[in-house]
Coordinates of all heavy atoms in Angstrom, one line a residue:
E1 N 20.7 64.8 194.4 CA 21.6 65.5 193.5 C 21.0 65.7 192.2 O 21.1 66.8 191.5 CB 22.9 64.6 193.3 CG 23.9 65.3 192.4 CD 25.2 64.4 192.2 OE1 25.3 63.3 192.9 OE2 26.0 64.8 191.3
L2 N 20.3 64.7 191.7 CA 19.6 64.7 190.4 C 18.5 65.8 190.4 O 18.4 66.7 189.5 CB 19.0 63.4 190.0 CG 18.1 63.4 188.8 CD1 18.9 63.8 187.6 CD2 17.5 62.0 188.6
K3 N 17.7 65.9 191.5 CA 16.7 66.9 191.6 C 17.3 68.3 191.7 O 16.7 69.2 191.0 CB 15.9 66.6 192.9 CG 14.6 67.5 192.9 CD 13.7 67.0 194.1 CE 12.4 67.8 194.1 NZ 11.5 67.4 195.2
A4 N 18.4 68.5 192.3 CA 19.0 69.8 192.4 C 19.5 70.2 191.1 O 19.4 71.4 190.7 CB 20.2 69.7 193.4
V5 N 20.1 69.3 190.3 CA 20.6 69.6 189.0 C 19.5 70.1 188.1 O 19.6 71.0 187.3 CB 21.3 68.4 188.3 CG1 21.6 68.6 186.9 CG2 22.6 68.1 189.1
F6 N 18.4 69.4 188.1 CA 17.2 69.7 187.3 C 16.6 71.0 187.7 O 16.2 71.9 186.8 CB 16.2 68.6 187.2 CG 16.5 67.6 186.1 CD1 17.4 66.6 186.3 CD2 15.9 67.7 184.9 CE1 17.6 65.7 185.3 CE2 16.1 66.9 183.9 CZ 17.0 65.8 184.1
E7 N 16.4 71.2 189.0 CA 15.8 72.4 189.5 C 16.6 73.7 189.2 O 16.1 74.7 188.8 CB 15.5 72.3 190.9 CG 14.4 71.4 191.3 CD 13.0 71.8 190.8 OE1 12.8 73.0 190.6 OE2 12.2 70.9 190.6
E8 N 17.9 73.5 189.3 CA 18.8 74.7 189.2 C 19.3 74.9 187.8 O 19.6 76.1 187.5 CB 20.0 74.5 190.2 CG 19.7 74.4 191.6 CD 20.9 74.0 192.5 OE1 22.0 74.1 192.0 OE2 20.6 73.6 193.7
H9 N 19.4 73.9 187.0 CA 20.1 74.1 185.7 C 19.2 73.6 184.5 O 19.2 74.3 183.5 CB 21.4 73.3 185.7 CG 22.4 73.8 186.8 ND1 23.0 75.0 186.7 CD2 22.7 73.2 187.9 CE1 23.8 75.1 187.8 NE2 23.6 74.1 188.5
L10 N 18.6 72.5 184.6 CA 18.1 71.9 183.4 C 16.6 72.1 183.2 O 16.1 72.0 182.0 CB 18.3 70.3 183.4 CG 19.8 69.9 183.4 CD1 19.8 68.4 183.3 CD2 20.5 70.5 182.2
K11 N 15.9 72.5 184.2 CA 14.4 72.6 184.1 C 14.0 73.6 183.0 O 13.1 73.3 182.2 CB 13.8 73.1 185.4 CG 12.3 73.2 185.5 CD 11.8 73.5 186.8 CE 10.3 73.7 186.9 NZ 9.8 74.0 188.2
S12 N 14.7 74.7 182.9 CA 14.4 75.7 181.9 C 14.8 75.3 180.5 O 14.3 75.9 179.5 CB 15.1 77.0 182.3 OG 16.5 76.9 182.2
R13 N 15.5 74.2 180.4 CA 16.0 73.8 179.0 C 15.2 72.6 178.5 O 15.4 72.3 177.3 CB 17.5 73.4 179.1 CG 18.4 74.4 179.7 CD 19.8 73.9 179.7 NE 20.8 74.9 180.2 CZ 22.1 74.7 180.2 NH1 22.6 73.6 179.7 NH2 22.9 75.6 180.8
L14 N 14.4 72.0 179.3 CA 13.6 70.9 178.9 C 12.6 71.2 177.8 O 12.0 72.2 177.8 CB 12.9 70.2 180.1 CG 13.8 69.6 181.1 CD1 12.9 69.1 182.3 CD2 14.7 68.5 180.6
M15 N 12.4 70.2 176.9 CA 11.4 70.4 175.9 C 10.0 70.2 176.5 O 9.9 69.6 177.5 CB 11.7 69.3 174.8 CG 13.0 69.5 174.1 SD 13.4 68.1 173.0 CE 12.4 68.5 171.6
P16 N 9.0 70.8 175.9 CA 7.7 70.9 176.5 C 7.1 69.6 177.0 O 6.5 69.5 178.1 CB 6.8 71.5 175.4 CG 7.8 72.3 174.6 CD 9.1 71.6 174.6
S17 N 7.3 68.5 176.3 CA 6.7 67.2 176.8 C 7.6 66.5 177.8 O 7.2 65.6 178.5 CB 6.4 66.3 175.6 OG 7.7 65.9 175.0
N18 N 8.9 67.0 177.9 CA 9.8 66.4 178.9 C 9.6 67.0 180.3 O 9.9 66.3 181.3 CB 11.2 66.6 178.4 CG 12.1 65.4 178.8 OD1 13.3 65.5 178.8 ND2 11.5 64.2 179.0
L19 N 9.2 68.3 180.3 CA 9.1 69.0 181.6 C 8.1 68.3 182.5 O 8.4 68.0 183.7 CB 8.7 70.4 181.4 CG 8.5 71.3 182.6 CD1 9.7 71.3 183.5 CD2 8.1 72.7 182.2
P20 N 6.8 68.0 182.1 CA 5.9 67.3 183.0 C 6.4 66.0 183.5 O 6.1 65.5 184.6 CB 4.6 67.3 182.3 CG 5.0 67.4 180.8 CD 6.2 68.3 180.8
F21 N 7.1 65.3 182.6 CA 7.6 64.0 183.0 C 8.5 64.1 184.2 O 8.4 63.4 185.2 CB 8.4 63.3 181.9 CG 9.2 62.1 182.4 CD1 8.5 60.9 182.7 CD2 10.5 62.2 182.7 CE1 9.2 59.8 183.2 CE2 11.2 61.1 183.2 CZ 10.6 59.9 183.5
W22 N 9.5 65.0 184.1 CA 10.5 65.1 185.2 C 9.8 65.6 186.5 O 10.2 65.2 187.6 CB 11.7 65.9 184.8 CG 12.6 65.2 184.0 CD1 12.8 65.2 182.6 CD2 13.5 64.1 184.4 NE1 13.7 64.3 182.2 CE2 14.2 63.6 183.3 CE3 13.8 63.6 185.7 CZ2 15.2 62.6 183.4 CZ3 14.7 62.6 185.8 CH2 15.4 62.1 184.6
Q23 N 8.9 66.5 186.4 CA 8.2 66.9 187.6 C 7.5 65.8 188.3 O 7.5 65.6 189.5 CB 7.2 68.0 187.2 CG 7.8 69.4 186.8 CD 6.9 70.5 186.7 OE1 5.7 70.3 186.7 NE2 7.4 71.7 186.5
E24 N 6.9 64.9 187.5 CA 6.2 63.8 188.1 C 7.2 62.6 188.4 O 6.9 61.9 189.4 CB 5.1 63.2 187.1 CG 4.3 62.1 187.8 CD 2.8 62.2 187.3 OE1 2.3 63.2 187.1 OE2 2.3 61.1 187.2
Y25 N 8.3 62.6 187.8 CA 9.3 61.5 188.1 C 9.7 61.7 189.6 O 9.7 60.7 190.3 CB 10.5 61.7 187.2 CG 11.6 60.8 187.6 CD1 11.7 59.4 187.3 CD2 12.7 61.3 188.4 CE1 12.7 58.6 187.7 CE2 13.7 60.5 188.8 CZ 13.7 59.1 188.5 OH 14.8 58.3 188.9
F26 N 10.0 62.9 190.0 CA 10.4 63.1 191.4 C 9.2 62.8 192.3 O 9.5 62.4 193.5 CB 10.9 64.5 191.5 CG 12.2 64.8 190.8 CD1 12.2 65.7 189.7 CD2 13.4 64.1 191.1 CE1 13.4 65.9 189.0 CE2 14.5 64.3 190.4 CZ 14.6 65.2 189.3
S27 N 8.0 63.1 191.9 CA 6.9 62.8 192.7 C 6.7 61.2 192.9 O 6.4 60.8 194.0 CB 5.6 63.3 192.1 OG 4.4 63.0 192.8
I28 N 6.9 60.5 191.8 CA 6.9 59.0 191.9 C 8.0 58.5 192.8 O 7.8 57.6 193.6 CB 7.0 58.4 190.5 CG1 5.8 58.8 189.6 CG2 7.1 56.9 190.5 CD1 5.9 58.5 188.2
A29 N 9.2 59.1 192.7 CA 10.3 58.7 193.5 C 10.0 58.9 195.0 O 10.6 58.2 195.8 CB 11.6 59.4 193.1
E30 N 9.1 59.8 195.3 CA 8.8 60.1 196.7 C 7.7 59.2 197.2 O 7.2 59.4 198.3 CB 8.4 61.6 196.8 CG 9.6 62.5 196.6 CD 9.2 63.9 196.5 OE1 8.0 64.2 196.6 OE2 10.1 64.8 196.4
G31 N 7.2 58.3 196.3 CA 6.2 57.3 196.7 C 4.8 57.6 196.2 O 3.8 56.9 196.6
K32 N 4.6 58.7 195.5 CA 3.2 59.0 195.0 C 3.0 58.2 193.7 O 3.9 57.8 193.0 CB 3.1 60.5 194.7 CG 3.3 61.3 195.9 CD 3.2 62.8 195.6 CE 3.4 63.6 196.9 NZ 3.4 65.1 196.6
K33 N 1.7 58.0 193.4 CA 1.3 57.3 192.2 C 1.5 58.1 190.9 O 1.3 59.3 190.9 CB -0.1 56.8 192.3 CG -0.3 55.7 193.3 CD -1.8 55.2 193.3 CE -1.9 54.0 194.3 NZ -3.3 53.5 194.3
R34 N 1.8 57.4 189.8 CA 2.0 58.0 188.5 C 0.6 58.5 188.0 O -0.4 57.8 188.0 CB 2.6 57.1 187.6 CG 2.7 57.6 186.1 CD 3.5 56.6 185.3 NE 3.5 57.1 183.8 CZ 4.5 57.0 183.0 NH1 5.6 56.5 183.5 NH2 4.4 57.4 181.8

C-alpha cells in the first residue's frame, strides 16, 4: 500500500534528497543491501 501511494501520488512531490531515499527504502524492504 505504501509503495502504491508513493508511486502513484507522492513520488513527483518529493524533495530532491528524499526521492533517492524512498526508491532505495523499497529496495531494502525487499531484502537488498543499503
Side-chain angles (χ1 to χ4, degrees):
E1 180 182 356
L2 174 60
K3 190 171 184 179
V5 169
F6 270 84
E7 289 294 333
E8 296 173 16
H9 301 286
L10 298 183
K11 185 176 179 179
S12 61
R13 305 182 182 186
L14 293 177
M15 300 171 75
S17 66
N18 214 203
L19 178 58
F21 167 78
W22 280 105
Q23 289 189 350
E24 186 145 323
Y25 172 80
F26 293 115
S27 176
I28 296 171
E30 292 170 356
K32 298 179 182 178
K33 290 186 177 181
R34 175 177 176 139

